[in-house]
């Protein structure tokens, strides 16, 4: 099983980036996929997730700090989940990770162990 995250980079405040997480080795539609981040000196936090398609129709969730600025989506044909990030702020600077969990509700991955993690991709937002 592999989750390949990509798309990180450096951007000025107010700019945009799109992260991608390509999943292989599992039945993509059976898994909820989430994005987490670890900012310098802080704990890793879950910021957005999307339910599996087979049981929850891909319902999305966002934490308040990114709501209205980030959009998560999934492409079954490409087995990829995207995180579009707009109006980036310096506090969005972090290593971003994608994760997969076989569960009904994607928000479970905020509180329970995930099944698979991808390697992180660094996002740096300069003010």
């Amino acid at each position: 099983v592999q989750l390949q995250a990509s798309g990180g980079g450096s951007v000025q405040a107010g700019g945009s980036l799109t992260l991608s997480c390509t999943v292989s080795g599992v039945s993509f539609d059976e898994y909820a996929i989430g994005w987490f981040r670890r900012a310098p000196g802080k704990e890793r936090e879950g910021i957005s997730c999307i339910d599996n398609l087979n049981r929850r129709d891909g319902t999305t969730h966002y934490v308040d700090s990114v709501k209205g600025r980030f959009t998560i989506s999934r492409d079954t044909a490409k087995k990829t989940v995207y995180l579009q990030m707009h109006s980036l702020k310096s506090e969005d600077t972090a290593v971003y990770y994608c994760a997969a969990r076989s569960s009904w509700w994607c928000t479970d991955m905020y509180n329970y162990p995930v099944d698979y993690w991808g390697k992180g991709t660094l996002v740096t937002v300069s003010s």
Side-chain angles (χ1 to χ4, degrees), residues 12-60:
Q12 289 191 328
S16 300
L17 281 174
T18 297
L19 305 183
S20 301
C21 176
T22 300
V23 180
S24 59
V26 295
S27 179
F28 182 71
D29 290 345
E30 284 290 330
Y31 281 77
I33 307 294
W35 285 96
F36 293 71
R37 66 185 181 188
R38 188 193 301 271
K42 295 188 177 181
E43 297 286 320
R44 185 170 57 195
E45 62 169 340
I47 58 170
S48 181
C49 64
I50 185 165
D51 287 333
N52 70 67
L53 282 176
N54 285 353
R55 290 177 283 182
R56 290 279 298 167
D57 298 326
T59 301
T60 59

Side-chain angles (χ1 to χ4, degrees), residues 28-125:
F28 182 71
D29 290 345
E30 284 290 330
Y31 281 77
I33 307 294
W35 285 96
F36 293 71
R37 66 185 181 188
R38 188 193 301 271
K42 295 188 177 181
E43 297 286 320
R44 185 170 57 195
E45 62 169 340
I47 58 170
S48 181
C49 64
I50 185 165
D51 287 333
N52 70 67
L53 282 176
N54 285 353
R55 290 177 283 182
R56 290 279 298 167
D57 298 326
T59 301
T60 59
H61 176 271
Y62 305 91
V63 296
D64 287 344
S65 60
V66 306
K67 196 174 294 182
R69 300 188 298 122
F70 291 10
T71 302
I72 191 170
S73 61
R74 60 193 298 162
D75 184 328
T76 295
K78 295 182 178 179
K79 296 185 178 181
T80 298
V81 171
Y82 302 97
L83 186 68
Q84 296 176 284
M85 306 185 295
H86 300 290
S87 302
L88 284 162
K89 306 174 182 179
S90 57
E91 51 262 45
D92 294 318
T93 293
V95 178
Y96 285 71
Y97 303 86
C98 60
R101 192 175 195 274
S102 178
S103 61
W104 281 87
W105 296 277
C106 71
T107 50
D108 283 350
M109 63 175 60
Y110 297 161
N111 301 306
Y112 300 101
V114 304
D115 295 314
Y116 307 105
W117 287 100
K119 293 184 179 179
T121 185
L122 177 63
V123 173
T124 303
V125 183

